[in-house]
Amino acid sequence: MGELTENFWDKILEEMMNNIQDPNEFSGKIGMSVVLLLLLIGLEWLFHQLWRKIIEDVKTLNIVGTITRFLLRFLFLISLTRLWLNALDTLLIVLIFIGLVLSLAIKGLISNVAGWFLIVNKHHFRMYDRIEIGNVKGEIISVGILYFTLMEISHWFDAEAPTGRTVKIPNSKILTEAVYNYNEMTPFVWKEISYNLAFESNWQLAQKIIAASLLNYYENFEKEYLADELFKKAVMKKMQLFDGELKPVQIVDVTKDGIVLKVRYIVYYTEGTYVATQLHQEILQAFQTEKIEMAGRRIYFTQGENING
């Protein structure tokens, strides 16, 4: 058995050396590999520019771009495999076998390093981005080879403010869990506030108060963040992906407790709590002035008949 194993490895080493020692074949395949890689990069760039000129809708552009990249890279891998497999089939088999053994032995380490590679190449987030992963929300303050660190936000209270704690999360988590990024595409997110009014209250007047307050807020928001027309146009184009509307949107709902007036509005991602507080103060003060009644839990007593006669 030992002799058979020794002969097997001697044969593998001999074939590997024969392939590598042929300079013409080996250097030629390296050159062809570089040509294929450059061709892939060039074709991806050309198709990207072509689709941007032809397709206006952002969602369709993303879908077509993704399919195009997948097909080009698939063809690249097939071409590269056909190029090298005949010359270095033994070497590839050995490397794949070694890779499988190592991946099983140090699976966690490899996953963390792979996650780190994706992070530093800006595939998921950048430094000081605000993200949510698992049940943790915070801002990125450092990225290491094995884990990244968040400055924790919220957690045990509703306001989006720092808790004073930091959280270290293994890089491998980005491979297995959803990562919610607050400011990857634009620095703006939507927020919603709501008011539960009594059925007998003047909800139409309340709706007008909310609309006036939000209109005033949006006008100031535009002046501060969207004064540049080119930037505003770019933001609105990206918002198409979310079917989003920059202007405030009002919603009316009815529950067993009363009439619920909701309003959805856009806000800079770090100012959600501050803006909500300002709006609440302004709207509630107007409600109080107009004597608009908020809903609350009530107990109603009815006079029944006297069963004792």
Side-chain angles (χ1 to χ4, degrees):
M1 183 68 181
E3 185 177 351
L4 289 174
T5 304
E6 184 177 352
N7 290 335
F8 173 75
W9 286 108
D10 286 343
K11 185 178 179 181
I12 289 178
L13 291 173
E14 183 180 353
E15 291 184 9
M16 288 169 55
M17 293 303 298
N18 288 336
N19 287 323
I20 294 174
Q21 285 175 357
D22 186 347
N24 293 327
E25 183 179 359
F26 194 69
S27 60
K29 290 183 182 297
I30 291 177
M32 282 299 298
S33 300
V34 173
V35 171
L36 287 173
L37 180 60
L38 293 176
L39 183 62
L40 171 67
I41 296 172
L43 287 174
E44 285 190 358
W45 183 83
L46 287 173
F47 276 108
H48 178 69
Q49 298 300 320
L50 177 63
W51 299 146
R52 286 183 61 185
K53 292 180 180 179
I54 296 176
I55 303 173
E56 291 290 336
D57 185 72
V58 178
K59 291 183 178 180
T60 306
L61 178 63
N62 280 348
I63 294 172
V64 173
T66 301
I67 295 174
T68 303
R69 287 193 300 272
F70 172 79
L71 291 175
L72 289 174
R73 292 174 186 182
F74 181 70
L75 292 174
F76 169 75
L77 288 176
I78 290 178
S79 302
L80 202 63
T81 302
R82 288 180 59 85
L83 176 67
W84 284 95
L85 192 57
N86 292 332
L88 293 177
D89 53 349
T90 307
L91 178 61
L92 286 172
I93 292 171
V94 172
L95 290 177
I96 291 171
F97 176 76
I98 293 174
L100 288 174
V101 172
L102 290 176
S103 64
L104 292 174
I106 50 175
K107 180 181 178 181
L109 179 61
I110 291 176
S111 297
N112 284 331
V113 174
W116 169 78
F117 179 79
L118 292 176
I119 292 170
V120 297
N121 282 276
K122 302 179 181 180
H123 283 72
H124 285 75
F125 49 75
R126 301 178 296 271
M127 288 289 291
Y128 305 112
D129 276 5
R130 178 173 293 186
I131 69 166
E132 184 175 347
I133 180 170
N135 295 322
V136 182
K137 182 192 300 183
E139 294 186 1
I140 305 294
I141 57 175
S142 69
V143 177
I145 295 179
L146 299 180
Y147 57 82
F148 58 92
T149 306
L150 295 180
M151 178 182 66
E152 188 185 42
I153 293 173
S154 299
H155 190 74
W156 58 71
F157 46 78
D158 295 331
E160 291 187 342
T163 63
R165 304 191 304 184
T166 59
V167 185
K168 296 185 183 298
I169 300 176
N171 293 334
S172 58
K173 287 292 184 181
I174 70 169
L175 304 174
T176 58
E177 295 193 17
V179 179
Y180 304 92
N181 195 314
Y182 281 61
N183 56 301
E184 180 180 14
M185 298 190 67
T186 74
F188 308 119
V189 295
W190 284 280
K191 292 289 185 178
E192 183 180 89
I193 55 176
S194 62
Y195 301 94
N196 196 1
L197 307 182
F199 285 111
E200 57 270 21
S201 65
N202 190 344
W203 64 269
Q204 295 96 334
L205 178 58
Q207 197 173 28
K208 291 179 181 178
I209 291 172
I210 295 173
S213 180
L214 267 294
L215 179 61
N216 180 61
Y217 160 74
Y218 180 72
E219 288 175 351
N220 293 329
F221 174 85
E222 273 196 316
K223 292 177 183 177
E224 184 173 359
Y225 295 108
L226 302 176
D228 187 334
E229 285 299 324
L230 291 178
F231 178 68
K232 182 179 179 180
K233 186 176 180 181
V235 169
M236 293 183 70
K237 191 170 184 179
K238 290 180 180 179
M239 289 297 184
Q240 293 177 14
L241 293 171
F242 306 100
D243 297 324
E245 172 64 43
L246 293 183
K247 293 183 179 180
V249 177
Q250 290 200 51
I251 302 167
V252 180
D253 197 7
V254 178
T255 68
K256 64 179 182 179
D257 297 321
I259 301 171
V260 182
L261 301 183
K262 303 177 183 178
V263 60
R264 187 164 60 104
Y265 57 95
I266 197 167
V267 64
Y268 191 78
Y269 77 99
T270 61
E271 296 184 350
T273 300
Y274 171 76
V275 171
T277 300
Q278 298 296 313
L279 292 173
H280 282 316
Q281 290 176 343
E282 182 178 340
I283 292 171
L284 290 175
Q285 186 175 359
F287 281 1
Q288 188 176 18
T289 301
E290 298 294 337
K291 295 182 171 52
I292 293 175
E293 189 176 355
M294 305 289 288
R297 291 187 175 274
R298 301 181 180 185
I299 300 177
Y300 294 92
F301 295 93
T302 58
Q303 179 114 24
E305 294 183 0
N306 190 339
I307 60 175
N308 294 322

